[in-house]
Amino acid sequence: MTKDEVKNKEDFIIYILTELSNKVHQVKFGDFFMEISPSVGIDSFRNLLDELTNEGLLSRTSEPGGSVPGLPGYQTVDLRYSISLKGIRHLKEIEISKSKHINSKMKKEVFITYSWDSEEHIEKVVSFTNHLRDEGFDAEMDKLHTQNETATDFYKMMHQAMTDYDKVIVVLSKGYKEKAENFKGGVGNEYNLILKDIETQKNKYILISFEPISDDITPLNFKGRHIFDLSNKKNLNELYAKLQNVKTIEFAEVGPRKPTIEKTVIPKFEIKETNLEIGNLLTNMDNGSQFGQLYTKIEFDLNLEIKNNTKETYSDYNIEVSYPVNSTNFDVNGRIENNSKVITYDNQPKLFPTQTRTIKLENLTIRNGNAHYLLNSSIVVKIFTDKGMVEKEFALRETLSIRTMYGDKKLTEEMFHDKNYR
């Protein structure tokens, strides 16, 4: 569109975008105003550019300008504008909408962009383009266009590469890195546009190199992105797949059930005994008297297990056993404490590390007259060593049992003849 074709605001916007699309670098606000000489005033022109900036069609930078003569301390603002990638697409959409063949217009397949480092490098890009064409890809590069046109507009061709092609291959090299990072020439302008577009067009841009990948050829803002190293022939297949949006690895479907997790059970925290350990109280029915198939008296033989789970040998230890009163023979020596008869067992044999001994205790006698009392009582065992005292209680109702033809049965009051005590 030319200035003479501007009829309204929409035309004027298209005219501004078209003029800025032909600029390689940002243009100063004042210079741009004088260049296109709009019919509106400079303030209205500034407001329109700001409106287009807010819509994302333009990019703007603001830097301090010069001082204003006669106004000490007052400094102007140097505004500069350039077309954004969204603005380029907007122009393209307008161009397509005006085309009579909008339904037949298709995006081109592949455009290859690079830096003119040397004749050798250019020839390699040409050879690579021909290779892709031989493999069935409609690949194009600048040299293909310059052969068909007498006055190629390289900046327009570069913008079209960003908008008209489905894929853009960027050939990295030392020259490309230098021009890109310094935003120099066509490569610098193109690099700036790609950086704005690559985050939203994740499958459009493909980075390649003809030499092993290194920092020498990779622009700063391309670091960390996938680069195809075509010095290795095996990478060609993956490149072909990217150009066709084809996945090279077949992944399995997600199964209907997840595996059962085997859990490791951590034992509860406990402090290991550093003393002797009291084991089981072993009971065995020694003899008994019956009347009418019910007991009147039962005598139990008692033995106590003592374990030494430490690494020391115990040669001096003392055992005290508290029996319920009237449960032992009357001639057994012991002291009476509350409702218990306490019997002491001295001079016990040595206990070596990891050894278990069985100590013979006094027999326990239960009669029909005290069965209820005794079965609700306990035997308490205490062992005294130089490490301290350990203690364990044995409830007689849980400890005593008798052997029958049907197996062992816990001793109960119902097994005794006289139940008048209840």
Side-chain angles (χ1 to χ4, degrees), residues 130-157:
N130 282 332
H131 172 79
L132 291 182
R133 294 178 71 85
D134 288 340
E135 293 295 330
F137 297 98
D138 187 7
E140 298 181 1
M141 61 178 292
D142 57 356
K143 293 295 182 183
L144 188 148
H145 289 274
T146 56
Q147 291 184 126
N148 299 327
E149 300 175 3
T150 56
T152 303
D153 185 338
F154 286 101
Y155 295 118
K156 180 179 179 182
M157 179 174 61

Side-chain angles (χ1 to χ4, degrees), residues 217-273:
I217 65 170
T218 309
L220 180 62
N221 289 299
F222 282 168
K223 286 185 178 179
R225 296 190 179 276
H226 183 62
I227 302 172
F228 290 93
D229 176 9
L230 297 188
S231 65
N232 189 335
K233 187 177 181 180
K234 70 178 184 180
N235 292 326
L236 276 173
N237 182 66
E238 190 176 355
L239 173 63
Y240 298 153
K242 289 292 183 185
L243 288 172
Q244 299 175 83
N245 295 323
V246 174
K247 297 175 182 177
T248 58
I249 301 175
E250 288 289 340
F251 286 93
E253 294 294 328
V254 178
R257 292 184 299 275
K258 290 183 172 61
T260 301
I261 305 300
E262 295 183 3
K263 298 181 180 180
T264 300
V265 179
I266 306 298
K268 290 184 178 180
F269 174 78
E270 61 179 3
I271 299 175
K272 294 289 185 181
E273 291 284 352

Side-chain angles (χ1 to χ4, degrees), residues 262-407:
E262 295 183 3
K263 298 181 180 180
T264 300
V265 179
I266 306 298
K268 290 184 178 180
F269 174 78
E270 61 179 3
I271 299 175
K272 294 289 185 181
E273 291 284 352
T274 58
N275 205 341
L276 296 179
E277 180 183 342
I278 300 173
N280 297 318
L281 181 62
L282 307 176
T283 66
N284 182 44
M285 181 177 169
D286 191 17
N287 59 68
S289 301
Q290 287 184 315
F291 181 80
Q293 296 185 342
L294 293 176
Y295 288 104
T296 58
K297 172 186 172 184
I298 303 177
E299 190 170 347
F300 288 93
D301 182 48
L302 303 184
N303 289 275
L304 177 68
E305 288 183 341
I306 302 177
K307 301 178 181 180
N308 181 7
N309 292 325
T310 71
K311 296 181 180 180
E312 301 180 26
T313 298
Y314 283 79
S315 58
D316 186 15
Y317 58 96
N318 179 271
I319 302 173
E320 278 190 0
V321 180
S322 297
Y323 296 85
V325 293
N326 299 324
S327 64
T328 62
N329 290 333
F330 296 105
D331 58 350
V332 176
N333 292 327
R335 66 181 188 274
I336 302 299
E337 291 184 358
N338 299 323
N339 292 322
S340 298
K341 184 175 184 178
V342 182
I343 300 173
T344 302
Y345 298 87
D346 295 319
N347 303 317
Q348 297 301 321
K350 288 184 177 180
L351 269 176
F352 295 98
T354 71
Q355 184 181 19
T356 298
R357 280 191 178 277
T358 302
I359 307 299
K360 177 69 175 71
L361 303 183
E362 301 303 323
N363 283 3
L364 181 76
T365 302
I366 300 181
R367 297 176 174 82
N368 56 347
N370 66 359
H372 175 74
Y373 163 71
L374 291 182
L375 288 175
N376 287 285
S377 302
S378 299
I379 289 179
V380 179
V381 179
K382 297 179 181 178
I383 300 179
F384 300 87
T385 72
D386 57 359
K387 301 292 185 182
M389 186 266 289
V390 291
E391 179 179 347
K392 189 171 184 179
E393 181 176 354
F394 298 94
L396 292 180
R397 187 178 295 277
E398 299 299 324
T399 305
L400 300 178
S401 62
I402 60 173
R403 184 163 297 173
T404 70
M405 59 185 299
Y406 302 107

Side-chain angles (χ1 to χ4, degrees), residues 116-124 143:
W116 297 346
D117 292 2
S118 63
E119 286 299 324
E120 180 183 1
H121 184 64
I122 293 172
E123 288 178 2
K124 198 158 191 176
K143 293 295 182 183

Side-chain angles (χ1 to χ4, degrees), residues 68-201:
V68 178
L71 295 176
Y74 186 81
Q75 198 173 36
T76 61
V77 177
D78 183 5
L79 296 173
R80 302 189 179 204
Y81 294 87
S82 64
I83 191 170
S84 67
L85 197 57
K86 182 178 179 181
I88 294 173
R89 289 203 190 96
H90 183 66
L91 282 179
K92 194 62 186 177
E93 289 169 2
I94 292 173
E95 179 183 338
I96 293 174
S97 67
K98 290 181 178 180
S99 173
K100 294 180 181 179
H101 307 287
I102 184 171
N103 294 326
S104 62
K105 189 169 181 64
M106 300 289 291
K107 272 197 172 185
K108 298 179 182 179
E109 194 168 8
V110 186
F111 187 83
I112 301 169
T113 181
Y114 63 104
S115 169
W116 297 346
D117 292 2
S118 63
E119 286 299 324
E120 180 183 1
H121 184 64
I122 293 172
E123 288 178 2
K124 198 158 191 176
V125 176
V126 172
S127 177
F128 173 65
T129 304
N130 282 332
H131 172 79
L132 291 182
R133 294 178 71 85
D134 288 340
E135 293 295 330
F137 297 98
D138 187 7
E140 298 181 1
M141 61 178 292
D142 57 356
K143 293 295 182 183
L144 188 148
H145 289 274
T146 56
Q147 291 184 126
N148 299 327
E149 300 175 3
T150 56
T152 303
D153 185 338
F154 286 101
Y155 295 118
K156 180 179 179 182
M157 179 174 61
M158 177 190 63
H159 287 152
Q160 288 177 330
M162 303 294 105
T163 57
D164 291 8
Y165 290 79
D166 187 50
K167 303 288 184 182
V168 175
I169 294 178
V170 182
V171 182
L172 301 182
S173 64
K174 291 181 179 179
Y176 191 95
K177 171 186 169 72
E178 179 184 356
K179 294 173 185 176
E181 291 186 339
N182 291 296
F183 295 95
K184 181 179 178 182
V187 169
N189 193 33
E190 167 194 289
Y191 180 63
N192 185 42
L193 292 175
I194 291 175
L195 292 181
K196 295 176 182 177
D197 195 41
I198 197 169
E199 290 299 331
T200 56
Q201 301 276 352

Side-chain angles (χ1 to χ4, degrees), residues 368-369 416-422:
N368 56 347
F416 287 86
H417 176 69
D418 186 3
K419 303 182 178 61
N420 293 329
Y421 52 82
R422 290 189 295 165

